[in-house]
Amino acid sequence: RPYAGDSLRRSRDRIAGTLAGAIMAGLMSPLPRAWLLVLVAVCMTLMLAYALLNDYLLQVTFMTPTVVLLVGS
């Protein structure tokens, strides 16, 4: 990124979103497998919606549990 402020904001959003998403994944992981699949689908839908709206913080927040739960299953 050409501007330091943009890079700093994006890095902050990446860290905050990853932490929030990891907490969400941790809270969802004890659920039965059928519920996990539904929640992963919801997270994927929200991730795409926020990506289209250019909201990086929320995009990363919902991307993290999607990846964690899909890779962990």
Side-chain angles (χ1 to χ4, degrees):
R1 304 258 171 217
Y3 301 107
D6 290 341
S7 294
L8 184 62
R9 182 180 50 80
R10 194 165 179 97
S11 296
R12 185 192 69 226
D13 288 350
R14 183 176 294 129
I15 291 169
T18 300
L19 290 174
I23 291 169
M24 286 173 53
L27 293 173
M28 289 190 273
S29 64
L31 295 174
R33 185 164 173 82
W35 280 103
L36 282 178
L37 293 175
V38 170
L39 290 173
V40 165
V42 169
C43 285
M44 287 173 54
T45 303
L46 290 171
M47 177 185 66
L48 178 61
Y50 287 119
L52 293 174
L53 293 174
N54 290 325
D55 190 335
Y56 190 69
L57 173 65
L58 291 174
Q59 177 191 356
V60 172
T61 299
F62 290 107
M63 181 180 1
T64 302
T66 300
V67 171
V68 168
L69 294 173
L70 284 176
V71 169
S73 62

